[in-house]
Structure formats: structure tokens, C-alpha cells
Amino acid sequence: MSVTYEGMTFDEFISAEEIQQMVQDVARRIAEDYAGKQPLLICVLHGAMFFTTDLMRALPMDCTLASVHLQSYDGTSSTGQVRESKPLEADIRDKDVIVVEDIVDAGITMHYFKQVLMARQPRSLKVAALLSKPSELKFEDAKPDYVGREIPKKFVIGYGFDINEYARNLPSIYALRENG
Ligand code: IMP
Ligand code: MG
């Protein structure tokens, strides 16, 4: 199946069922690593909203939730800068923090945000990303600790991923058709 936004065609890339398997897989790895702990999940809005709610419900241990709104993309490409339009209000000192991100691309967002968080002295800090594009990574420290799936360089929408704020509500993930 395919969908069209802003004159561009996107083909189904990861089905809703496959996404749920990826989420369960990430949750299982986190559950193993955080046994006996009560992690604080920080949802990076808005992209990671859907992943965060599904991931949190799949975690067996007590955990808490906070959010931050970071933006680095305009349309289908990165602006190269991170805008913090809703700062993090939670106190993270001495907490086991897991940042929940939709996708790590060049790593600009996570490189920036991890520095912001480390300055606030969490007990531990890890990043869970539903997707990552390893070929595009420019900051080694932005590499996620948990990844649902590594993908090639593609622009994706659906399940939280947007094109200029649209398409987040598609249940599957779609990839931009090359030369389409
Ligand atoms: P980075 O800062 O270069 O790693 O880019 C990561 C951010 O850009 C993510 O938080 C997403 O919001 C956005 N982004 C990167 N790739 C895509 C994509 O393929 N579709 C939608 N958003 C993306
Ligand atoms: Mg984002």
C-alpha cells in the first residue's frame, strides 16, 4: 500500500504488526537491564509519542514518565539545529533515565540532549530509539543503546513520524519512494 503527502509518494515499509514486535523486543531488553530499578522514561515529543506509550505499557517494572519537545527537522531534511520548544521540567538527579526517541539520524538531537541531561546528574542515562540510520550517524555519543530496527537512509512517516506535522497517525511506517 502507498500514501501521498505534499505530492510525494510513500510505500509501506514496516507494518503495524512488525512495529509491535520491535517494541516488545526493546521492552524485553530494557526489562532485563533494569530489573529492580524504576526508570524514568523521557519521551521526545512529538515523534516518540506512540513508541513511548506502547513501550511503557510493555515494561513490567514500575516506571515514570516525563517529556520534552525537541525539533530538528523541516520537511524531509534536517535543519542541523535543535530547537527545544518544550523544555524538560522533571528532576532527573540520581534517576535511571531512558530517553525514548523515534529515530536517530545524524545524531544531532541526541548529541545535544544527552549533554543537557548529563549536566543535571542522572544516576544513569540511556537512549531507546525505535529506528536508527547508522549510515547517517555523525556523533558517536548519540548512538542509541536500544534500537527497534536499523534502516538505510530513507525518509519515513507514520507511527509518530511526520511530514510537516502530518501522517503521525498512520498505524504503519511508510518510506519515501525514490524518484517517486
Ligand atoms: P538527528 O537529530 O539528525 O539524529 O535527527 C533525529 C530527529 O529528526 C528525530 O527526532 C526525528 O524527529 C527527525 N527525523 C529524522 N529522520 C526522520 C524521518 O525519516 N522521518 C521523520 N522524522 C525524522
Ligand atoms: Mg524527534
Side-chain angles (χ1 to χ4, degrees):
M1 219 192 78
S2 62
V3 294
T4 305
Y5 286 87
E6 304 192 4
M8 289 177 271
T9 306
F10 296 79
D11 299 306
E12 193 178 47
F13 179 49
I14 307 177
S15 70
E17 291 74 24
E18 287 174 292
I19 295 170
Q20 288 312 317
Q21 282 170 13
M22 287 154 54
V23 173
Q24 296 301 324
D25 185 48
V26 171
R28 190 181 40 73
R29 283 181 273 154
I30 291 176
E32 275 172 26
D33 294 351
Y34 287 78
K37 296 182 177 159
Q38 299 185 343
L40 164 66
L41 307 188
I42 301 180
C43 172
V44 182
L45 297 169
H46 291 111
M49 256 176 107
F50 296 72
F51 178 37
T52 305
T53 56
D54 285 342
L55 177 65
M56 200 168 177
R57 279 178 290 189
L59 291 178
M61 78 288 263
D62 286 335
C63 50
T64 55
L65 177 66
S67 63
V68 63
H69 189 191
L70 304 176
Q71 284 171 287
S72 66
Y73 254 61
D74 185 21
T76 61
S77 56
S78 175
T79 60
Q81 290 190 336
V82 183
R83 203 154 61 83
E84 197 171 326
S85 36
K86 176 191 172 293
L88 180 73
E89 285 167 2
D91 179 13
I92 65 164
R93 183 182 281 263
D94 294 332
K95 300 235 169 89
D96 292 307
V97 173
I98 304 173
V99 179
V100 186
E101 175 61 309
D102 51 7
I103 188 165
V104 176
D105 186 330
I108 298 164
T109 309
M110 279 308 108
H111 172 71
Y112 161 83
F113 193 48
K114 280 177 88 173
Q115 286 177 351
V116 170
L117 294 177
M118 285 313 288
R120 299 207 204 171
Q121 301 178 314
R123 184 185 301 135
S124 65
L125 177 60
K126 289 199 175 176
V127 175
L130 183 67
L131 301 177
S132 77
K133 301 181 195 172
S135 65
E136 303 309 295
L137 192 71
K138 295 197 175 62
F139 296 94
E140 226 6 73
D141 66 343
K143 202 171 164 195
D145 302 281
Y146 305 96
V147 186
R149 186 188 288 188
E150 294 184 343
I151 64 166
K153 182 183 179 184
K154 282 176 183 291
F155 182 75
V156 296
I157 58 169
Y159 191 71
F161 294 100
D162 72 305
I163 167 122
N164 291 329
E165 294 301 325
Y166 287 93
R168 293 194 198 277
N169 55 323
L170 298 173
S172 305
I173 293 174
Y174 293 75
L176 178 62
R177 188 182 294 176
E178 307 294 334
N179 309 317

